[in-house]
Structure formats: structure tokens, C-alpha cells
Amino acid sequence: MSFQRWLTAVICAVFISTGAGSGQDQAKAVGDTVSFRPTNINPPVTSIIWKHRSGSDVVKAIEWDKDDGFSTPNPRFKDITTLDEKTGEITITNLDFIHSGVYTIDINSKEQEQRFTLKIEMRVPKPKIDIERISNPDVVYLKCGYSGTIIWKNATEGILIGSKNHPIGELITVKNTKNPENFYTCTLKNDASEETSDPVYERDLFKESNVGQTVGIVFGVLVLLCVIAFILVYAVLKSVHDCVNETCTCIPKHFGSLNCLIKETEKEYNPAPTADKLEGGSPGRGEEMGVVSSIQDDTEGQQQNSAINGNKLEGGSTSPDQKS
């Protein structure tokens, strides 16, 4: 046998023996459940013992005996550990850091070659994406500030390469693609667990500016106010009305109905002259003339009455001499 073939055979043998002896290596998060099962279990089986090795400390996790049944001698595995005597599978629930270590199995009081390594890690939290805006309205930074493995993805499930964020985590630079349905997620992962953030949509990152719309509305309102002010001035002030009509002869055709308002305004500010003013007298002159006329009429009446009474005395009465 050549040296090359011999070396290949040795490597394969080492690989096979290592694989057989190593069993299963698992990483779990605090609170998870784990199960280990031996590759072969040949009946008849009268006893099974699972042992937990942590450093130099070796304890029984659980054991089964055909005559005595099940037993969980160590408190750290009590009420959370079960054993299937037919398959030899052990199951541990509600894991904690104290359950990390190497597990071995004895079948019929003989230790098996398989080794099962368990690593307990803290469960990663659900990450939250922080948004940092800059002066450029079409560019933002998305930050995932956590320690551990960070995976950035977009709506197409494409993996994005992040940059180092200080003090911890990663960030990516996002440009406006004008696709409001596009989104980004941050996945935080360790050997035992992973969590993904809520998606951040592009429609929330790059909201359309309303500045132009606001300016247009303000400008329209100002124009409308100017038009209303012009119509009011044109309708109320005769000087403006006449000046505008002389300058633009087409305006009276469109605003001719406002002439009525102009005439009413002139009546208010230029009331019609009274009869006294037409005679040229001062206010109250008519009243004085009426009083004088009344006095004259009374005097003439009294004079006429006196004359009538005098005539009666002269011709209608009898003197004493005539009676005698």
C-alpha cells in the first residue's frame, strides 16, 4: 500500500471515529428545549443513565432501571428532564446556563462513545431599526445597534452589506429608489437564536415634500384676495371707478352691474337738497316764516272781529234817551 493511500485511510478512520464519538453539538437559547438520542441501542436494555459533565463536575441528569423505574437525582434537572427507555432519548426543557456542558449515556452500565455538547446562550432581542437623516433628502442611514451577527435584507430578500457602526452594530446607506413598497429589515442572530426587525418602508423614509403645494395654495389665496380688494375699491370709490373705465373700456362691459352700487354709494354720501336749501334759506327759515305768517293772520282776524262788534253797537242797540 502506498503512503498516500495509507494516509487517506487513517484520515477517514479518524473522521469516522470522531463523528461517532462526538454525537451532536447544539446551541440553544435560555428557555429552549433540547433532546439527545444515541445512535444505537441494542436490546435487551435494563438500565440507562444520562450524565452531565461541566468542567470537572459530573452529575447524573436522569436514570432508568428496569426494576426501580425513573429517577432524577440532581436538582438542576428535576421536573424538566424526561427519558424514553425504548430509544434512550433524553429531553430537557426550560434550559438555563447551568445546563451547558457535555452529556454522555450509559446503557446497561456501559458508557457509550457518543458525546453530546450543549451550549446555552442568551436569546437575542427583536432588533429595532434607527433612522438617521442627513442634509440630502434622498439619502438616509439605517442603523441596527446591537452586538452579534447582523443581516440586512431588502424587499427582494437580497442581502445587503453593512458598515461598522460605533459603538456597536451596523448601518447601511439607503438611497431613494422611488419605490414606496420597497423595505429593509435587520436580522440579529447568534448560535442559539435569531430575530428580525419590523420592516422599514421607503414610503416612510422619503416622504414627498409639500412645500410646492403649500406655496401654490398661498399664492392662489393672495391672488383671490387681491381680486376681491380690486372689485371692492372699483365699486365703492367713484374716482377709481371712472379712472378704470376710462383706461380700460372693456371693464364696464364685465362690471357694468356694479354701477348700481356706485350710484347707491353716491346717494349715501351726497343726499338730495331739502326745500329750504332750494329756496336759499338757512336751516329753520321756513319755520320762522310760518310763525310770522300765523301772527299776521291772527292780527287781521282780530281787527275784523272788532269792526263787526263796533257796527253792532252803533246800529243794533237802543240808547236811554230813546227808551224814555
Side-chain angles (χ1 to χ4, degrees), residues 25-297:
D25 294 341
Q26 294 194 46
K28 293 291 183 178
V30 174
D32 280 352
T33 298
V34 69
S35 295
F36 297 121
R37 182 175 179 174
T39 303
N40 296 313
I41 182 169
N42 299 318
V45 178
T46 58
S47 66
I48 299 175
I49 301 175
W50 277 96
K51 298 177 182 178
H52 174 234
R53 303 172 184 270
S54 178
S56 59
D57 184 25
V58 180
V59 298
K60 290 181 179 181
I62 192 172
E63 60 182 332
W64 171 80
D65 186 88
K66 184 178 180 180
D67 297 326
D68 299 330
F70 296 94
S71 173
T72 309
N74 193 281
R76 76 180 66 165
F77 295 98
K78 195 172 184 62
D79 299 328
I80 63 170
T81 307
T82 58
L83 172 63
D84 186 339
E85 72 275 15
K86 295 182 177 60
T87 63
E89 183 179 64
I90 183 177
T91 300
I92 308 171
T93 63
N94 197 22
L95 291 170
D96 205 343
F97 292 108
I98 59 175
H99 300 123
S100 294
V102 177
Y103 291 81
T104 60
I105 183 174
D106 294 355
I107 300 176
N108 295 335
S109 300
K110 182 179 179 181
E111 184 175 291
Q112 305 299 302
E113 294 182 354
Q114 283 184 291
R115 300 288 187 270
F116 304 88
T117 302
L118 177 62
K119 180 182 179 181
I120 304 298
E121 293 189 10
M122 183 65 70
R123 184 180 300 278
V124 297
K126 182 178 180 177
K128 179 180 179 298
I129 297 177
D130 295 322
I131 303 171
E132 180 180 342
R133 304 184 186 279
I134 58 176
S135 57
N136 188 343
D138 290 327
V139 177
V140 297
Y141 295 136
L142 300 184
K143 296 182 177 181
C144 196
Y146 300 87
S147 59
T149 302
I150 294 175
I151 303 172
W152 289 98
K153 290 184 179 181
N154 57 17
T156 62
E157 293 296 320
I159 297 179
L160 309 175
I161 304 301
S163 302
K164 181 67 177 177
N165 180 49
H166 297 286
I168 59 173
E170 291 185 0
L171 63 84
I172 59 173
T173 302
V174 175
K175 296 181 179 180
N176 189 0
T177 64
K178 308 298 183 180
N179 180 8
E181 298 304 318
N182 189 26
F183 64 83
Y184 301 87
T185 61
C186 166
T187 298
L188 186 60
K189 182 179 180 181
N190 62 14
D191 293 336
S193 62
E194 70 176 63
E195 292 286 346
T196 301
S197 68
D198 293 330
V200 176
Y201 285 87
E202 193 168 302
R203 61 173 174 264
D204 299 322
L205 295 175
F206 307 103
K207 294 183 178 180
E208 294 297 330
S209 175
N210 293 327
V211 175
Q213 183 178 0
T214 303
V215 171
I217 294 174
V218 172
F219 179 77
V221 171
L222 291 177
V223 170
L224 179 61
L225 292 176
C226 290
V227 171
I228 294 174
F230 169 77
I231 294 175
L232 290 176
V233 172
Y234 175 83
V236 173
L237 298 181
K238 188 176 184 305
S239 58
V240 176
H241 178 272
D242 295 340
C243 180
V244 171
N245 287 350
E246 292 176 0
T247 305
C248 300
T249 57
C250 63
I251 289 182
K253 297 180 182 179
H254 300 285
F255 296 94
S257 58
L258 297 178
N259 288 332
C260 295
L261 184 57
I262 289 292
K263 293 177 181 179
E264 293 296 330
T265 305
E266 289 178 352
K267 290 180 180 180
E268 293 179 1
Y269 288 95
N270 300 301
T274 62
D276 293 339
K277 291 185 177 180
L278 292 173
E279 294 177 357
S282 61
R285 180 75 175 180
E287 295 179 0
E288 293 178 358
M289 294 176 66
V291 172
V292 173
S293 177
S294 177
I295 294 173
Q296 290 177 352
D297 291 341

